[in-house]
Amino acid sequence: MHVYIRPPQPEDERAYSEAVLRSADHLTPWNPVEPDGLPDLLRRQGPLLRSFLIFDGGDDGLVGRVNVANIARGRFRNASLGYDSYLPYAGTGRMTEGLRLIVDRCFAPTPEGLGLHRLEINVQPENERSLALARRLGFRHEGFSPRMLYINDDWRDHERFALTAEEWPRG
C-alpha cells in the first residue's frame, strides 16, 4: 500500500494550504484554488458531505482531497465524488490507489463505511487525467451535461460517470 486515507482534521490546515498553493497551476483549469478552505470544509462535514484526505505512505505527504458530496440515503443511496490531486504526487498512481480505498469505504456497510449503492463522478471534458481516472476505476460513462457546474466564473460542461456497488470489483 502506497497511500492511506482519513478524514481531514484541523491539524491538517498547514499541509493542506501548502499542497493547494504548490498545485495552484495544476488545479486552476478545473477547480477553484482555495488554500485557506480547510476550516470551511471541516465545518461542512455531516450527513450530506464526507471528505477524505489521501496521504503518501512513505513520506506522509498530502496526495489529494476527495469529497463524497450530495449524499442521498433511503432508496437512492447515492453520492458524487469530487477530487483534487496535489503535486508532486499527481500522475504517480497514488490518487487512483486512494480513490479505490475511498470507493471501498463508500460501498462498505455502515457503521464502518457509508453504505452507499451508487457513486457518480462528473468531469470537465478537457480534463483528460480525471477522465482517465474515472475509467481506470471502472466508472461507466452515462452522458454529457452542458453547463453543469459554475467553476472559476463560468458554467462548465461535464461528462457524467457512475458505478454501483455490484459493479465494483470488491463489491
Side-chain angles (χ1 to χ4, degrees):
M1 190 75 48
H2 297 105
V3 301
Y4 61 94
I5 63 169
R6 66 167 170 74
Q9 302 169 359
E11 307 80 65
D12 297 321
E13 193 168 349
R14 181 176 176 197
Y16 181 87
S17 180
E18 289 172 357
V20 171
L21 286 171
R22 181 175 59 245
S23 307
D25 290 341
H26 170 71
L27 298 171
T28 296
W30 320 117
N31 284 314
V33 174
E34 299 171 328
D36 300 324
L38 189 64
D40 180 58
L41 185 65
L42 290 170
R43 278 190 294 279
R44 293 186 300 125
Q45 298 301 297
L48 302 178
L49 174 69
R50 295 285 304 277
S51 297
F52 296 92
L53 298 180
I54 301 170
F55 292 92
D56 181 76
D59 65 11
D60 295 319
L62 184 54
V63 171
R65 174 192 44 83
V66 178
N67 289 331
V68 183
N70 305 317
I71 298 172
R73 297 294 178 184
R75 293 176 189 223
F76 195 25
R77 293 192 304 165
N78 183 72
S80 298
L81 299 180
Y83 45 84
D84 285 334
S85 64
Y86 303 128
L87 300 174
Y89 305 100
T92 66
R94 286 170 175 80
M95 196 68 186
T96 301
E97 188 177 341
L99 266 167
R100 282 191 180 112
L101 296 173
I102 292 165
V103 171
D104 280 344
R105 178 88 48 98
C106 287
F107 287 147
T110 58
E112 297 82 23
L114 298 179
L116 297 173
H117 177 257
R118 184 174 187 277
L119 295 171
E120 300 175 3
I121 294 177
N122 298 292
V123 180
Q124 293 174 56
E126 300 82 14
N127 190 342
E128 294 175 14
R129 284 182 142 178
S130 281
L131 291 170
L133 178 55
R135 290 183 179 110
R136 204 167 34 252
L137 290 168
F139 281 72
R140 87 185 104 67
H141 187 257
E142 288 197 325
F144 176 79
S145 296
R147 298 169 304 285
M148 180 181 179
L149 289 175
Y150 193 73
I151 299 173
N152 295 333
D153 299 322
D154 200 8
W155 287 100
R156 307 291 176 147
D157 299 340
H158 281 72
E159 299 287 346
R160 292 187 330 272
F161 295 84
L163 179 74
T164 63
E166 295 87 356
E167 296 167 308
W168 184 237
R170 298 173 182 138

